[in-house]
Each structure stands twice: as C-alpha cells, then as structure tokens.
C-alpha cells in the first residue's frame, strides 16, 4: 500500500503539468458530484444514498418507478439542494476571487476582503438589520454598500490618474477599518435582545436561509464575474510577473486590474449579502490549488473554484449537522480551515507554486 | 540620406519629490545601433532607461519611439514558480487580446526564440531555479518573443561571472549583426562597450553627459573623468586589441 501510493505520487509528479491540470480537474469534478450526493443524505431526516442519486437523476431523466416518498423528494429538492448549490457557489466565488487577487498583488496573505468590499457590504447589511430588521432590504443594502466601498477605495487610491498596488491595498485596509468601526457602532446602538443577536449571527455567516430565489440572486452576483475573471486568466499571469514588467510587455494593466477588482467586488458583495462574512476560503484554497497545478491561472482558477466549492460544501455540512443548533460557517472555516491549511502547507512547502529562494 | 532615429530622447528632465534627477538629456539612437550607457551608481541610468521604455513619463522633454520596445530588467525574479516556457510565452502579451490565451502560433514563436538563445533544454524548468546567466538569456528570449525592434537592457551583465558575461555580450552582438536589432544597455564595464557597442553614452551627472561613437567618446580620459578614478588603456598584446581598466593596481 505504502509503495503503491509512493509510486502513484512519483508518476503524478512526472506528468506534464498541463496534463496534470486536466487530471486534477476531472478528479475534483468527480469528488464534487460525490460530495453533493453525500451532502444530500446528511441531516436529521434520513435519505438513502440510492434515493439521493435517483431523485437527482429524476430531474434530468424522469425515473419510471420512484423508490422514494414525496417527503424524500421534497426534502432533497426544496430544502437541501438549494442550500448545497448555494455553498458551492459561495465557495467557488470566494476561491476564484482570492486566487486572482493573490496573483495580481503577488502576495500570499491576500484574500478577497483586502479590497474593502467585504467590510463595506457587512456595514450595509448590519445597518439594514438595524433600521429595517431583515428581508431583501438587507440583501440590497449589503450589495450596494459593498460596491460603493470599492468606489471609495478607487477614489482614495487614485492619485493623478494612476493607482499603484500599494496605495490600493492601503486604501482597502483603511476602508475596511472604517467600516468595521462603523459596524461596532451599529452593534452598540442595536437592541441587545433582538437586533444585536441577529446582526452577530448574520455577520458570522450562514447559508441556512437559502431557497431558490436566494440562489438565483447569488448566482447572478457570483457566476458572471467568475467567468469574467477566468477569461482574463492570461492577463493575470502576465500581471503576476509584476506591474512594471507587465507594463513593459505591453499588457493593458490598469484595465485588467479594474476589471478584476470590479468582478471580485461583485462576488464579495454578493456573498456577504446572501451568506454573511465567510472568511478564510479565499485565502486558503488558492494555496492548495497552486500546490496541485502550479501558478498558471488557466489551471489555477478552475481548480480553485472546484476546491473552494467542495470545501465550503463540507464546511456547510458540518454547520448544519454537527450540533442541534445551526453553527455559523464563518466559525468553522476558521476552526477547521486554519489547522488543515497549516498542515497541508507544511507538506506542500517545496511545490507550493510560489517561487522560493 | 539621413534616416530618422528609431528612438529619440529630447531634452528629457526627470524630477522625483522636488529633486532633479535628470535634466536636458538629448540623444538619438539610429536603427541598428548599439548604445552602451556608462555612469556611476545612482547617476540615473535606470531612470533614463525607464523613460526610454515608457515605464516613466519624463516631467520635461519627450521620448519618441519608432518601434516596439523589448525590456530586460535587472536581475528579474518571478514571484510565482513559472516555467521557462511560461516566462518566454508571456513576451507575447502585446499580441494577445484582453481575453485570449496564447495560441499554437505563440507557442511556436516562444519555442523558436528559446532555441535561438540556446536555452530550449531548460523549457520546463522553474525560471527561478536557473543560474543568473541562464535567466538573462531567457529574459532576452522573452523580449524577442514580443517581436521587439529595440531591445533595452538594464545592466544585463551585473552579478554574472566572466563566462556568463561573455555569453550575454556575444548574444547581443549576434542579435545586432544577424537580425539588425537596435540595442540599448547600461553597464559598468567599458569593455562591454568596446565589444558590442557602436555608440556610447557617458553620464557624468544629472545634466552633463557625452554621447557619440565608441571611437570618439570611449577614451581613458573621458572614463577617468566619468568615474573619478584613474583609468588607463590596456593592450592585450595581440592584434591591437585593448580594454580600459582602473590603474590603481601597482
């Protein structure tokens, strides 16, 4: 067994990186399908694995003799499936955003929150909960404030028509600090018996409330920008050599940067609006993906998306099944994600996709 | 008939934080010329090169480029573990659309210049694992892959040993003689100027400079003046070949 894995590892390493990319994508896609089916069976109402497969299959090709009850079908289709798809979308969107920004900034500590949008959207959402209480207003306010905070960052970072990455990151940090303080003020002002817990839970992140209408909104905010980022994959490669080098090579770097920023803002604001603040995914997953397929964003972005989707799905499974009450996913991404990240990083150190001296 | 210069620097002045770094630099680089820039550390060689490349817009004066620029920065390092082929392929940037990845034709161009630079055997190695000399050749291949007409190199031989310096200098000469490539590079070794350059720019300070052909400008007196160290002409004792070197060795 031991020698078998060793042989496998050697032959995997010997594979041409390009072919290895396809292998990894195929393996992850398979894993994704199995995770989805497995997640369907999880929960207080038991659904067998066979029925989970068949109910899903029934949506594509109607099955002649159903072996499941109407309740089974209802639990799977109306309750679990939208939530599962929501987790996939959030995980994929955050991981793609993180991978793109790490490439653009050439910094391993970057996550989508760095451009100030997450905190801005968080502020919008908490303000809406304080003023109105809940519902679509929270969604709209979070998304709107998220996008607005990118505009603020852009205004702060642009001097004489030029934006350097350094001032951009600093502006992002400043805006984040400002909105976090604003969130604290709102928490102070909030009624400690009703509004404060609502705000706190919302900020900690959850995909619990997801139905198909939420899912449609989520998809609208996450899918098109993710595709846009993927389409820019080669320009992101060039920019990851450094701004000066990219400029000398004739790449339209400002345009690429702002498209990526806007796309990441849209994804982040969409995630916060529908699921609260989910940390760590955008930071951790790209590192694992880079360890598997290297730094070329043509492979890195899709592999990050798949890994992020699977990861957040499993995290959400824990969130809804580990205890009687629902756990906020933000807590689990940190509690589970961080040690896993530390361990995997130790193993991948030599081939993490980052250059070492 | 006088051909228009492929690169024209006109009264260029650069200021940084209220301090003048360069003032009144004017020079023409003709097609097929090789210009070597010499000057003390901190005199503004890199600043002037950046203006030529277009990375920096001079506060005063102008730079006119009549051809595509290929830029080889000093000691380039990649943050990410890209392979040599990936790095050369990125030279195709300006020929790609915003949303397109390199196609088969781009790969062929990259492979051709890896071949020409005699580093094809390194194509799948991580760029940062290469030696300094190999890295320099890969960066030159990248600039060539961008189909540049003017190649600008910032101290291409710094931190290289003699053998690798010789390889890089011989490569530049080959590119100039065989492809007619116009080359501008900075260096600290007058001999590099003698080996490849047709013209020399001696940068004495932010506004005093000498520009002209190697024969008229690259002299022991001018170099002594430039570096503020006694520099003499040394004969190799064969075929009238010579170099310039500091005379402080007794």
């Amino acid at each position: 067994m031991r020698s078998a894995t060793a042989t496998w590892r050697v032959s995997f390493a010997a594979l041409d990186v390009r072919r290895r990319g396809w292998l990894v994508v195929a393996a992850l896609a398979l894993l994704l399908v199995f995770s989805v089916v497995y997640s369907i069976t999880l929960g207080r109402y038991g659904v067998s694995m066979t029925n989970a497969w068949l109910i899903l299959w029934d949506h594509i090709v109607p099955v002649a003799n159903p072996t499941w009850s109407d309740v089974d079908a209802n639990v799977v289709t109306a309750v679990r499936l939208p939530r599962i798809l929501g987790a996939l979308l959030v995980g994929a969107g955050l991981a793609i955003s993180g991978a793109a920004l790490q490439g653009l900034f050439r910094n391993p500590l970057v996550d989508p929150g760095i451009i100030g949008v997450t905190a801005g959207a968080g502020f919008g959402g908490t303000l809406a909960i304080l003023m109105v209480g809940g519902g679509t207003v929270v969604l709209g306010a979070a998304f709107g404030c998220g996008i607005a905070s990118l505009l603020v960052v852009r205004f702060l970072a642009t001097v004489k028509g030029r934006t350097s990455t350094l001032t951009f990151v600093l502006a992002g940090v400043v805006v984040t600090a400002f909105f976090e303080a604003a969130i604290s003020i709102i928490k102070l002002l909030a009624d400690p018996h009703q509004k404060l817990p609502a705000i706190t839970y919302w900020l900690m992140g959850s995909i619990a409330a997801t139905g198909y209408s939420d899912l449609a909104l989520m998809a609208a905010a996450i899918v098109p920008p993710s595709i846009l980022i993927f389409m820019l994959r080669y320009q992101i490669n060039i920019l990851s050599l450094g701004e000066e080098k990219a400029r000398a090579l004739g790449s339209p770097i400002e345009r690429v940067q702002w498209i990526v920023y806007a796309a990441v803002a849209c994804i982040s604001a969409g995630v916060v609006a529908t699921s609260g603040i989910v940390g760590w995914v955008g930071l951790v997953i790209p590192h694992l993906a880079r360890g598997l397929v290297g730094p070329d964003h043509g492979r890195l972005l899709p592999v990050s998306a798949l890994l992020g989707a699977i990861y957040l799905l499993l995290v959400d499974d824990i969130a809804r099944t580990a205890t009687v009450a629902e756990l906020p996913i933000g807590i689990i991404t940190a509690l589970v994600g961080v040690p896993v990240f530390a361990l995997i990083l130790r193993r991948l150190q030599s081939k993490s996709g980052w250059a070492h001296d | 008939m006088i051909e228009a210069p492929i690169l024209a620097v006109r009264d260029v002045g650069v200021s940084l934080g209220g301090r003048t770094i360069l003032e009144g630099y004017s020079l023409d680089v003709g097609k097929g010329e090789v210009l070597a820039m010499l000057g003390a550390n901190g005199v503004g060689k890199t600043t002037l090169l950046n203006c030529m490349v277009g990375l920096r817009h001079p506060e005063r004066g102008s730079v006119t480029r009549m051809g595509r620029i290929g830029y080889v920065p000093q000691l380039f390092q990649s943050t990410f573990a890209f392979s040599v082929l990936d790095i050369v392929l990125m030279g195709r940037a300006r020929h790609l659309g915003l949303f397109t990845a390199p196609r088969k034709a781009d790969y062929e161009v990259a492979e051709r210049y890896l071949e020409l630079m005699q580093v094809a055997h390194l194509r799948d190695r991580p760029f940062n694992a290469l030696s300094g000399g190999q890295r320099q050749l890969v960066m030159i291949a990248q600039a060539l892959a961008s189909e540049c007409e003017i190649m600008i190199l910032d101290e291409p031989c710094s931190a290289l040993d003699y053998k690798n310096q010789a390889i890089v200098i011989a490569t530049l000469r080959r590119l100039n003689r065989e492809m007619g490539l116009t080359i501008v590079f900075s260096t600290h070794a007058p001999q590099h100027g003698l080996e490849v350059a047709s013209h020399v720019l001696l940068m004495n300070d932010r506004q005093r400079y000498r520009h002209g052909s190697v024969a008229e400008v690259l002299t022991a007196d001018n170099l002594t003046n430039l570096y503020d160290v006694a520099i003499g002409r040394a004969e190799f004792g064969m075929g009238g070949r010579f170099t310039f070197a500091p005379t402080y060795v007794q």
Side-chain angles (χ1 to χ4, degrees), chain B residues 112-130:
Chain B
R112 185 163 78 235
Y113 288 114
L114 276 172
E115 207 73 56
L116 188 72
M117 288 297 100
Q118 298 169 348
V119 284
H121 59 290
L122 302 171
R123 65 194 285 278
D124 294 321
R125 294 266 304 278
F127 175 78
N128 284 22
L130 304 185

Side-chain angles (χ1 to χ4, degrees), chain A residues 65-140:
Chain A
N65 306 306
T67 58
W68 61 88
S69 67
D70 284 349
V71 183
D72 286 343
N74 199 36
V75 164
V76 170
T77 314
V79 182
R80 290 190 187 155
L81 200 55
R83 180 169 180 163
I84 286 168
L85 294 177
L88 298 182
L89 279 177
V90 169
L94 288 175
I96 276 206
S97 305
L101 288 185
Q102 285 176 6
L104 240 52
F105 293 151
R106 294 178 296 139
N107 185 325
L109 291 176
V110 160
D111 85 346
I114 196 103
I115 60 173
V117 172
T118 306
F123 167 77
T126 44
L127 188 67
I129 295 174
L130 179 76
M131 309 288 275
V132 186
T136 38
V137 183
V138 179
L139 277 178

